[in-house]
Amino acid sequence: MSEKKWKKTCLGAVLLIGIHAVVVGANDRAAVITEAGTVSIPRFSLPMSSYASDAAGPMLRGILTGPQMGITEKIANLRAHYDAINTARAERMKDMYPVTIEQDQIAGVRIQTVEPAGGPAREHQGKVLINLHGGAFMWGAGSGELVEAIPIAAQSGMRVITVDYRMAPEHVYPAASEDVFAVYNALLADYEPKNIGIYGCSAGGILTAQVTAWIIEHGARTPGAIGTFCGTGVDYAGDSSQLDPVFNGGTPVSKGGTALTMTRIPYFSKGSEGSRGVVPGNFPDLLEKFPPTLLLAGSRDFAASSLTVMHRRLAAVGVPSQLYLFDGLWHAFFMDAELSESQEAYRLIASFFTENLGKSER
Amino acid sequence: MSEKKWKKTCLGAVLLIGIHAVVVGANDRAAVITEAGTVSIPRFSLPMSSYASDAAGPMLRGILTGPQMGITEKIANLRAHYDAINTARAERMKDMYPVTIEQDQIAGVRIQTVEPAGGPAREHQGKVLINLHGGAFMWGAGSGELVEAIPIAAQSGMRVITVDYRMAPEHVYPAASEDVFAVYNALLADYEPKNIGIYGCSAGGILTAQVTAWIIEHGARTPGAIGTFCGTGVDYAGDSSQLDPVFNGGTPVSKGGTALTMTRIPYFSKGSEGSRGVVPGNFPDLLEKFPPTLLLAGSRDFAASSLTVMHRRLAAVGVPSQLYLFDGLWHAFFMDAELSESQEAYRLIASFFTENLGKSER
């Protein structure tokens, strides 16, 4: 390149960068939003929420910088990876929350019974919570069940039965709904429906809503209350599905990244995604038969928007429900019991079931 | 500059830009988050929430590209600007929601009484809602009162009394609390406390929480229920105060922009910001005396985080409360009655007061 060309090229580049800076710096509001309402977001730094506990920031860093594993990884690797994490979590939880754990089967489905040490509280005799573990409908059986059951059994004083439902890639929808329904039906021999609660986080939150729909569609009596955490009866969408990647060090959806939707979860075979049993929140006639519902997540969870929408839809058909969002926190934050917000979540979950189970049916 | 120097400088610049691009492009998760949990957010495009109504995107664009006026503008200009907007809104509302409007005074404070055409519903005789208008404690009197009262009076079938409380810059805290307390006390001659509701949006949401604290601190009986919308009893902070500027075409806080906090509102004179009467949500002994509370906002509102935090704090001290977030929507979105989400908000507000007023006191 000649010296003249160098000069020209360099000046051109600098000019281009300069114009770019001016345009970006101009903060012209007309330039940042399209007719359809798409907003251009500049590069910026987002501190951990000033409303989060001091431990939250370092914990989020630990999660984001720890080993990552996408759902396209080999299934054996995925299960081993998350089992190791959940086993460590469950061990730490056992020190914090004294419980007894029994392995068993109900209706041919493997379950675990987790009870507060010393047995369920007197006022909770005759009540039971069914926990449906998370893990993208692909992993989370075993140790993942314990992580969701131990603190809730201890905090609520209730018996918790966890269900090892069938998952992908070996099985597809509605295998998990069938398994949980079988366990639920078997439990009806010993428990009144109003004394049964069902809850879960992530895939377990979705499955809780789906099983409730399944129970309704099969004409069975509904449980007394349910909890759908970090996932619920409508698809992951809205702002949270766009913001989750950028909040968590990923590639923005608008730059070729992908938003998490049910179509990306192998368990939901093609054609099932929009159905009544999969997204009951889209069907008001189904939703109005739902029992009181607790919805809970971190505000940076890709599920946050879906929970706020489900909550509004439940309210619209007259179902009593409660929504709690934990500012600045991430998907399934309360799997780590050390976080003070996790303990707050356990208290909210325990209070909700204490308050809503055992009431006369709606 | 010599040709040699040109070459060197230019190559240096290109190299620097190149390294920067590689570092940024590498999507190295360790690089995007600090020990304290601050996340680097790349430039991206955020579409209007897929869970928002079709009208939301164009309406947001209209707001962002319309005339803007910061709170440092001359007070006469601010009031004229917002009065024109609110007068137009109120006129459109009168077509949608038939009401009667009367001007009056209570305890020396100017008020307006807004009733559904034909008078309050039979089941709501003896009940009244007090509306506290928004406007940064600086504007919103008159037409701003009507915008918040008309749809609620019509939707709920209740009488709504709006209060023209004293504002900044002429007055500072606790002038507004004193005025509303005077009106509340006068109304106690005709209404039982359990039959009185108080609600407001933005400054009015903050003031609703503050007046409730003021009532408690002065030993008076609390109202039956309150609604704090787009503002509440804790300071604007958390994720929403950081995200609001970038969601709305402003300068990110991390790049020299500013987050909205109470210290930026002239009404809160230095020293008052952290007090019991200003941020009652920071004082559990005060909060536990609160009546049932409805919290409602758009998820992109700078107030969203403060509402989720207030909701958790109310739950922690056993106060029944409800939180609704409207995905993708902005601060005070329901001032425009044409938006379907606004009408949904009116229904939620009306239902909440219908359900909670008239109950025996807590």
Side-chain angles (χ1 to χ4, degrees):
Chain A
M1 195 149 62
S2 74
E3 283 150 4
K4 200 174 165 185
K5 255 197 164 167
W6 263 111
K7 259 194 215 174
K8 203 174 155 187
T9 306
C10 194
L11 279 172
V14 167
L15 197 68
L16 210 69
I17 293 167
I19 288 169
H20 188 245
V22 166
V23 167
V24 168
N27 188 19
D28 179 355
R29 283 164 189 255
V32 302
I33 183 163
T34 68
E35 281 295 343
T38 297
V39 179
S40 298
I41 308 285
R43 184 183 303 282
F44 71 104
S45 294
L46 178 65
M48 175 45 62
S49 166
S50 58
Y51 277 129
S53 64
D54 290 345
M59 190 175 280
L60 178 59
R61 181 179 158 91
I63 293 167
L64 293 191
T65 58
Q68 304 288 325
M69 203 165 267
I71 61 170
T72 53
E73 190 79 24
K74 274 190 189 150
I75 189 66
N77 295 348
L78 276 168
R79 287 177 184 164
H81 172 76
Y82 286 107
D83 186 51
I85 293 172
N86 283 329
T87 297
R89 285 169 167 162
E91 285 309 311
R92 300 199 307 273
M93 281 178 172
K94 285 176 193 167
D95 292 334
M96 298 174 70
Y97 299 104
V99 292
T100 60
I101 301 168
E102 304 271 352
Q103 319 280 331
D104 204 349
Q105 285 214 346
I106 295 182
V109 180
R110 202 190 60 73
I111 62 123
Q112 299 186 74
T113 302
V114 182
E115 290 187 0
R122 180 182 297 269
E123 70 268 29
H124 294 320
Q125 304 288 344
K127 294 181 195 164
V128 67
L129 298 178
I130 300 174
N131 168 251
L132 308 178
H133 68 81
F137 292 92
M138 297 173 81
W139 63 86
S143 58
E145 301 167 28
L146 296 179
V147 165
E148 296 192 36
I150 290 172
I152 302 305
Q155 184 69 48
S156 68
M158 294 186 198
R159 173 176 297 128
V160 179
I161 290 178
T162 69
V163 181
D164 181 8
Y165 55 82
R166 281 173 291 165
M167 298 185 288
E170 296 89 348
H171 304 277
V172 293
Y173 174 85
S177 292
E178 289 170 346
D179 289 350
V180 181
F181 187 51
V183 171
Y184 178 78
N185 268 331
L187 288 174
L188 288 180
D190 297 318
Y191 300 91
E192 288 192 74
K194 70 178 180 186
N195 287 334
I196 304 178
I198 309 179
Y199 75 95
C201 171
S202 194
I206 295 174
L207 182 55
T208 295
Q210 293 176 339
V211 165
T212 304
W214 197 259
I215 289 168
I216 293 165
E217 296 281 74
H218 286 78
R221 289 159 71 200
T222 51
I226 62 170
T228 70
F229 316 138
C230 332
T232 188
V234 297
D235 205 350
Y236 294 128
D239 275 6
S240 296
S241 66
Q242 300 286 322
L243 294 170
D244 168 70
V246 298
F247 284 167
N248 295 298
T251 307
V253 177
S254 61
K255 293 191 166 180
T258 44
L260 184 60
T261 60
M262 286 195 181
T263 54
R264 291 187 59 210
I265 301 177
Y267 174 72
F268 297 105
S269 55
K270 217 169 160 61
S272 73
E273 311 98 331
S275 69
R276 293 169 67 84
V278 171
V279 280
N282 293 348
F283 301 89
D285 66 308
L286 199 47
L287 217 49
E288 70 184 10
K289 301 194 180 85
F290 266 50
T293 302
L294 175 63
L295 306 108
L296 186 152
S299 72
R300 294 192 195 175
D301 188 343
F302 50 77
S305 294
S306 66
L307 294 196
T308 65
V309 168
M310 182 75 167
H311 181 49
R312 285 163 52 200
R313 291 186 182 173
L314 285 164
V317 295
V319 175
S321 59
Q322 271 292 344
L323 167 74
Y324 293 102
L325 289 184
F326 285 72
D327 199 52
L329 302 194
W330 50 90
H331 185 66
F333 69 87
F334 53 96
M335 299 299 111
D336 286 291
E338 292 79 9
L339 201 65
S340 63
E341 286 94 340
S342 298
Q343 296 159 27
E344 185 183 339
Y346 306 150
R347 289 193 295 272
L348 289 168
I349 295 167
S351 294
F352 182 81
F353 282 118
T354 298
E355 195 177 311
N356 285 285
L357 290 190
K359 285 185 178 174
S360 54
E361 286 165 73
R362 292 183 60 240
Chain B
M1 195 148 66
S2 75
E3 282 151 7
K4 199 173 167 186
K5 254 197 162 167
W6 261 112
K7 259 196 215 172
K8 203 174 155 187
T9 306
C10 194
L11 278 172
V14 167
L15 197 66
L16 211 69
I17 292 167
I19 288 169
H20 187 245
V22 167
V23 168
V24 167
N27 189 19
D28 178 355
R29 283 166 189 254
V32 302
I33 182 163
T34 68
E35 281 295 342
T38 297
V39 179
S40 297
I41 308 285
R43 183 182 306 282
F44 70 104
S45 294
L46 177 65
M48 176 44 64
S49 165
S50 58
Y51 277 129
S53 64
D54 290 345
M59 190 175 281
L60 177 60
R61 181 180 158 90
I63 293 167
L64 293 191
T65 58
Q68 304 288 324
M69 203 166 267
I71 62 169
T72 53
E73 189 79 24
K74 273 189 190 153
I75 188 66
N77 294 348
L78 276 167
R79 288 178 183 162
H81 172 76
Y82 287 107
D83 186 50
I85 293 172
N86 283 328
T87 297
R89 285 169 166 162
E91 285 308 311
R92 299 199 308 272
M93 281 178 173
K94 285 175 194 167
D95 292 335
M96 298 174 70
Y97 300 104
V99 292
T100 60
I101 301 168
E102 304 272 352
Q103 319 279 331
D104 204 347
Q105 285 215 345
I106 296 183
V109 181
R110 202 190 59 73
I111 62 122
Q112 299 187 76
T113 302
V114 182
E115 290 188 359
R122 181 182 296 268
E123 70 269 27
H124 293 322
Q125 304 289 344
K127 295 181 196 164
V128 67
L129 298 178
I130 300 174
N131 168 251
L132 308 177
H133 68 81
F137 292 92
M138 296 172 81
W139 63 86
S143 57
E145 301 167 27
L146 296 180
V147 165
E148 296 192 36
I150 290 171
I152 302 305
Q155 184 69 48
S156 69
M158 294 187 199
R159 173 177 297 126
V160 179
I161 291 179
T162 69
V163 182
D164 182 8
Y165 54 82
R166 281 172 292 163
M167 298 186 287
E170 296 88 348
H171 304 278
V172 295
Y173 174 84
S177 292
E178 288 169 348
D179 288 350
V180 181
F181 186 51
V183 171
Y184 177 77
N185 267 331
L187 288 174
L188 288 181
D190 296 319
Y191 300 91
E192 287 192 75
K194 70 178 179 186
N195 287 334
I196 304 178
I198 309 180
Y199 75 95
C201 171
S202 195
I206 295 174
L207 182 55
T208 295
Q210 293 177 339
V211 164
T212 304
W214 197 259
I215 289 168
I216 293 166
E217 296 280 75
H218 284 78
R221 289 159 71 200
T222 51
I226 62 170
T228 70
F229 316 138
C230 331
T232 188
V234 296
D235 205 350
Y236 295 128
D239 275 5
S240 296
S241 66
Q242 300 286 323
L243 294 170
D244 167 70
V246 298
F247 285 168
N248 295 297
T251 307
V253 176
S254 61
K255 293 190 166 181
T258 45
L260 184 59
T261 60
M262 286 196 181
T263 55
R264 289 187 60 211
I265 301 177
Y267 174 73
F268 297 106
S269 55
K270 215 169 162 61
S272 73
E273 311 98 331
S275 69
R276 292 170 67 83
V278 170
V279 279
N282 293 349
F283 302 89
D285 66 307
L286 199 46
L287 217 49
E288 70 184 11
K289 300 194 180 85
F290 265 51
T293 302
L294 175 63
L295 305 109
L296 185 153
S299 71
R300 294 191 195 176
D301 188 342
F302 50 76
S305 294
S306 66
L307 294 196
T308 65
V309 168
M310 182 75 167
H311 182 50
R312 284 164 52 199
R313 291 186 183 174
L314 286 164
V317 295
V319 175
S321 59
Q322 272 292 344
L323 167 74
Y324 293 102
L325 289 185
F326 285 71
D327 200 52
L329 303 194
W330 50 90
H331 186 65
F333 69 87
F334 53 97
M335 299 300 110
D336 286 291
E338 292 79 9
L339 202 64
S340 63
E341 286 95 339
S342 298
Q343 295 160 26
E344 185 183 341
Y346 306 150
R347 288 193 295 271
L348 288 168
I349 296 167
S351 295
F352 182 81
F353 283 118
T354 297
E355 196 177 311
N356 286 284
L357 290 190
K359 285 186 179 173
S360 54
E361 287 164 72
R362 293 182 59 239

